[in-house]
Amino acid sequence: MPASEPLIVFCSPGDRRSAGIQQARLRLGMPPALLIPYAGLLEGQPLADLLEQAVQQQVRDGMPEQAGLPTPGLNGAPGRAQLEQPDSLDGSNGRPTPDFPDGSGGRPALDSPAQAGPPLLRLESSDGSFSRHPALDSSAQARPPLLRLESPGGSFGLERALIALGAPDAPDTDDSLHPFGQQPDLRPLSFKAAAALKDMPGVLHHPSQWFRGYCRLLARIRREAGQLLPASRWTNDPAEIAAMTDKRRTQQILAEAGVPVPRPLCGSGGQAPVDYASLRELMLTQRMHRVFIKLASGSAASGVIAYQLNPATGAEVAVTTIGVENYITRPPVYYNSGKLQRYTDSARLAGIINWLYRHGAYAEQWIPKPGISGHSFDIRQLVVAGEACHAVARVSTTPITNLHLRSQRMTPAEAGLPEEMQAQVRRSAEASLAAFPRCSIAGIDVLVGSSGRTYTADVNPFGDLLYDVEYQGCSTYEWEMKQLSGRNLSL
């Protein structure tokens, strides 16, 4: 395996994802990643300052020794992280260089092991002391750092901050990465109102405004990273993460690439439903009586409805994770119940579906899933650097198979999927990721229809959090670190 580049991860430090990455790098003998907290970015701290803080934290944790580098003291002085430029042979760039006992100015000797490793990030401090950290410069022999974005979920504080960032009067209104940024959010919250939201577990406060704020954050990260680390490479490009996070745009991209997807519900002129009434009308005219309705920016089955309409009687039934609390004097509150609910009341269903479409929804053909003993399943297939690897069959007695809804986890073989179909699933997943050429990692949800044809239902840029699943003896994060090290990734 080639020497690893430094890895910079935008994440919530200490969560399961960042911990999994650090554990994988430790097992592989790689230096730990620099963790840049989303919370700091959303508080308005510049990326340069957060990078400096991450470097200082790793210096305190003894990371330079792990990388085989000298560790001059910081003396607690504040500093600024700067990529060294090769302006002078001694690396001083015209600045005074502190004296070190070996006369090296703190730089590893030319024949030292560290010299063959990555270039260095210099952390200048006000008293002239500095530390060194593996990073990359723009010299010909240097290898640029890898930048990785992790999921921003799991914290109400982050959710609230992203909703505020998506407000019409937010200080940053760069919607360049929003796939449908020209369409305003309905009933938006002001920046002040969003910042005052209270934590109500499970409540879906304003999904469309959250997504707008997330796209703005992605645009800012890409902009600042491009300025600070111009030679850096993304494992998944922020623009394509934004596209993957909007199910409407994801399915458009897949269809344009020739990847089979469930047929979208739309009229002969391409018009999609916009509310409950137009949904039912299109289902009848298109003779598509069973559909999945999905919140465009939802994840983990949040905002998903398996909906059936009887064309003869008009009766309807829906299975969903969406719960609703109705009030006399204020609008209803919609929340993720964490378990499946069943609805048959038209008035209640109209309220839920209309709310979904206000925040952006997508309806598609309900593909019957294969199954055994009354259970159906789909496949979460991880693809890394173009190669299908870890796979999990999500097996359930319900049409919604997400694992946190108490679905069973099996290998595809245990779920009864023949080897030739497993190979077809892998090919479908690889073709799905190839539709996003600037992305190297995604969890692809693949459906196997009753005819044996495969369909891609979703492309998840953060779909690699799979527990106790190995491929060639590696966990998901270990495999990713090995496969992406030294690869020619997206710029």
Side-chain angles (χ1 to χ4, degrees):
M1 184 176 65
S4 61
E5 305 95 328
L7 176 66
I8 299 172
V9 182
F10 298 86
C11 62
S12 297
D15 69 359
R16 292 176 295 176
R17 296 176 182 273
S18 62
I21 290 170
Q22 297 290 47
Q23 185 179 48
R25 292 179 71 82
L26 177 63
R27 287 177 176 173
L28 295 172
M30 296 178 174
L34 286 174
L35 305 183
I36 306 300
Y38 285 127
L41 291 165
L42 290 167
E43 289 167 0
Q45 296 184 60
L47 176 56
D49 290 353
L50 293 169
L51 182 60
E52 171 195 325
Q53 294 168 23
V55 171
Q56 289 177 324
Q57 182 61 51
Q58 286 201 346
V59 170
R60 288 193 293 268
D61 292 344
M63 182 269 167
E65 289 90 337
Q66 296 175 37
L69 301 174
T71 314
L74 282 174
N75 298 329
R80 168 74 61 179
Q82 297 180 349
L83 286 176
E84 291 188 352
Q85 302 298 323
D87 296 334
S88 60
L89 293 176
D90 65 0
S92 66
N93 298 326
R95 298 184 293 267
T97 304
D99 292 327
F100 284 80
D102 61 3
S104 67
R107 179 179 296 278
L110 292 178
D111 59 352
S112 71
Q115 183 65 25
L120 305 173
L121 183 77
R122 169 168 299 202
L123 191 142
E124 299 279 12
S125 60
S126 58
D127 67 350
S129 62
F130 65 89
S131 179
R132 305 164 78 80
H133 186 281
L136 297 139
D137 58 25
S138 57
S139 61
Q141 66 272 25
R143 296 164 63 206
L146 299 182
L147 307 182
R148 176 175 175 133
L149 290 153
E150 278 299 328
S151 169
S155 160
F156 173 71
L158 292 182
E159 178 186 358
R160 177 172 55 197
L162 287 169
I163 295 172
L165 184 57
D169 59 341
D172 183 351
T173 57
D174 182 356
D175 290 331
S176 60
L177 298 191
H178 194 306
F180 304 96
Q182 73 282 2
Q183 300 175 9
D185 299 322
L186 298 180
R187 304 180 187 175
L189 299 173
S190 69
F191 183 84
K192 182 178 180 180
L197 288 171
K198 303 298 183 184
D199 186 6
M200 302 170 65
V203 168
L204 303 168
H205 287 285
H206 205 302
S208 59
Q209 190 166 315
W210 174 93
F211 180 58
R212 187 176 298 275
Y214 181 47
C215 289
R216 290 174 178 177
L217 176 64
L218 290 174
R220 178 194 159 192
I221 291 172
R222 188 170 72 161
R223 182 174 63 247
E224 292 192 24
Q227 294 166 351
L228 285 170
L229 305 164
S232 60
R233 303 175 299 153
W234 293 100
T235 56
N236 284 354
D237 184 84
E240 295 202 335
I241 287 180
M244 288 180 178
T245 308
D246 189 304
K247 291 178 172 55
R248 298 165 296 185
R249 183 60 185 141
T250 297
Q251 298 305 88
Q252 287 177 357
I253 291 171
L254 292 173
E256 290 166 2
V259 176
V261 297
R263 183 162 64 97
L265 177 63
C266 58
S268 57
Q271 70 274 21
V274 295
D275 56 18
Y276 172 76
S278 60
L279 174 84
R280 287 172 58 92
E281 180 180 355
L282 280 169
M283 289 178 70
L284 292 172
T285 59
Q286 297 302 309
R287 297 183 179 181
M288 190 184 296
H289 304 136
R290 302 171 81 227
V291 298
F292 268 83
I293 310 166
K294 301 178 180 181
L295 182 64
S297 59
S299 62
S302 177
V304 173
I305 303 176
Y307 179 72
Q308 302 180 67
L309 173 64
N310 187 314
T313 65
E316 55 196 327
V317 61
V319 176
T320 179
T321 59
I322 300 174
V324 57
E325 290 186 2
N326 291 300
Y327 301 91
I328 296 176
T329 59
R330 58 189 178 95
V333 170
Y334 298 95
Y335 62 94
N336 186 357
S337 67
K339 58 183 179 180
L340 293 176
Q341 312 278 338
R342 187 175 185 273
Y343 296 103
T344 57
D345 179 73
S346 294
R348 178 157 288 196
L349 278 170
I352 293 173
I353 292 172
N354 284 336
W355 179 84
L356 276 181
Y357 274 101
R358 282 203 301 271
H359 291 281
Y362 176 83
E364 65 186 18
Q365 178 187 11
W366 179 336
I367 303 294
K369 299 172 184 176
I372 52 174
S373 304
H375 292 68
S376 59
F377 67 88
D378 61 9
I379 305 296
R380 166 63 60 88
Q381 176 68 65
L382 183 62
V383 180
V384 177
E387 178 185 347
C389 46
H390 304 70
V392 172
R394 306 183 299 184
V395 183
S396 177
T397 57
T398 74
I400 300 176
T401 57
N402 296 69
L403 291 174
H404 73 284
L405 297 174
R406 298 184 179 179
S407 297
Q408 291 179 265
R409 176 201 307 264
M410 295 183 182
T411 67
E414 289 171 341
L417 196 64
E419 176 54 40
E420 61 270 21
M421 287 308 306
Q422 293 180 47
Q424 186 172 329
V425 166
R426 292 192 290 269
R427 289 192 295 269
S428 296
E430 290 169 353
S432 299
L433 185 58
F436 299 86
R438 291 175 293 168
C439 282
S440 302
I441 302 170
I444 316 295
D445 292 343
V446 181
L447 310 176
V448 180
S450 55
S451 64
R453 189 181 184 191
T454 56
Y455 303 84
T456 295
D458 198 9
V459 180
N460 188 338
F462 313 120
D464 55 358
L465 188 63
L466 302 175
Y467 297 110
D468 302 322
V469 181
E470 290 192 345
Y471 179 76
Q472 296 190 16
C474 294
S475 69
T476 57
Y477 293 127
E478 289 168 351
W479 184 252
E480 290 166 5
M481 297 304 113
K482 291 176 67 174
Q483 291 299 102
L484 300 182
S485 179
R487 291 269 184 166
N488 183 23
L489 304 182
S490 60
L491 299 177

